[in-house]
Amino acid sequence: MMRRRHLLGLAAALPAALPPAIPATAAGRRLVTVGGAVTETVFALGAGDAVVAVDSTSLFPAAARRLPQIGYLRALAPEGLVSLDPDLLLLSDQAGPPQALAVLRAAGAKLAVVPDGAGGAAVATKIRAIGQALGLDGAGLAEAVAADWAALDAPVAALRPLRAIFVLSAARGAPLVAGRDTHADALLAAAGAVNCVRDFTGYRPLSAESAALLAPDVVVMMDHAVAEAGGAAAVLRVSALAVTPAGAAGRLLAVDGAYMLGFGPRAAHARRDLAALLHPGAALPALPARAWV
């Protein structure tokens, strides 16, 4: 049980984000999950009935979208969390801000922080860590996802790599693109593409001069970001993209960001789907139908 009075003193400046606590589940557990892959994994492990709230990045499965939301994973409000009286806060290591987590820990909240890496091995590690935090055996799920991922290794390696960039946003000025050490960078590599952007890590704006030198064959972008920018044609008219081979050919792939970038239990299927979009007609193996997909 969190020390509510102490938490209120520490977080007085933070607004409440949620209504009063909802009844406990039939299993008597109350979980709050933060991070799309974390939430997906909890449901895939069969513990979805114990989840009482999620963050705004937790969009799958559909049952998660019907739960109360605690806001964006990087902008958590401790008072909103304490109102739910959870037994466990299961968090992606991308969750924050750090001061909010410090407040929760100081108040006696039970937190489990899960490494939210990208790539096949990272997904298996993530699933096992979540299973351990829940006292469940995650090995079966981890092994199934790893087997599906491995089934694509040789077929993807045989593809001719495409030069690509991943654009996070193009709605204002220079497009914001993914560099090294990002989930987008790992996704492109896993699907048979080469991320042209190698000069920096994280996300940075891309100038027209740099884009012309990088010369990507294809632009990959989240579907909601394409809509926010006014559609595919508007995106490709942005000066930094219009000067590229991708812009000239009108080659922009709009993808479901939560699905493609989550690196949760659906990661292998997302890898295959993007590889098929990047390489139409490629001989890629069908993956088994999985209940969690």
Side-chain angles (χ1 to χ4, degrees), residues 57-76:
T57 71
S58 297
L59 302 174
F60 187 88
R65 297 197 298 273
R66 295 191 288 269
L67 292 169
Q69 283 197 1
I70 60 170
Y72 181 50
L73 87 165
R74 297 183 192 270
L76 300 178

Side-chain angles (χ1 to χ4, degrees), residues 114-139:
V114 179
D116 200 3
V123 172
T125 298
K126 194 181 307 184
I127 292 171
R128 287 189 170 91
I130 292 169
Q132 183 176 10
L134 296 176
L136 301 173
D137 183 3

Side-chain angles (χ1 to χ4, degrees), residues 30-261:
R30 299 180 61 80
L31 306 177
V32 173
T33 58
V34 179
V38 172
T39 299
E40 283 191 34
T41 302
V42 170
F43 275 84
L45 289 171
D49 287 346
V51 179
V52 296
V54 299
D55 75 302
S56 62
T57 71
S58 297
L59 302 174
F60 187 88
R65 297 197 298 273
R66 295 191 288 269
L67 292 169
Q69 283 197 1
I70 60 170
Y72 181 50
L73 87 165
R74 297 183 192 270
L76 300 178
E79 172 57 14
L81 288 166
V82 75
S83 71
L84 290 171
D85 193 22
D87 301 310
L88 177 65
L89 298 171
L90 193 55
L91 309 163
S92 157
D93 64 2
Q94 303 301 305
Q99 58 267 34
L101 302 189
V103 167
L104 290 166
R105 288 190 176 98
K110 185 177 180 182
L111 275 63
V113 179
V114 179
D116 200 3
V123 172
T125 298
K126 194 181 307 184
I127 292 171
R128 287 189 170 91
I130 292 169
Q132 183 176 10
L134 296 176
L136 301 173
D137 183 3
L141 177 61
E143 289 166 5
V145 175
D148 290 348
W149 185 276
L152 296 168
D153 285 345
V156 169
L159 299 172
R160 180 182 68 84
L162 287 176
R163 294 179 60 79
I165 57 173
F166 189 98
V167 176
L168 184 66
S169 172
R172 298 179 181 86
L176 192 64
V177 301
R180 304 187 316 275
D181 300 332
T182 59
H183 280 41
D185 182 54
L187 172 68
L188 292 176
V194 174
N195 183 10
C196 297
V197 182
R198 311 309 304 163
D199 291 342
F200 57 82
T201 60
Y203 290 86
R204 292 187 189 176
L206 184 69
S207 68
E209 294 78 10
S210 295
L213 291 174
L214 294 174
D217 298 310
V218 61
V219 174
V220 181
M221 196 169 175
M222 291 185 286
D223 48 13
H224 72 84
V226 173
E228 289 168 3
V235 170
L236 293 173
R237 285 196 300 269
V238 172
S239 59
L241 302 178
V243 297
T244 67
R251 187 115 198 255
L252 184 151
L253 300 180
V255 300
D256 180 335
Y259 176 47
M260 292 289 180
L261 298 174

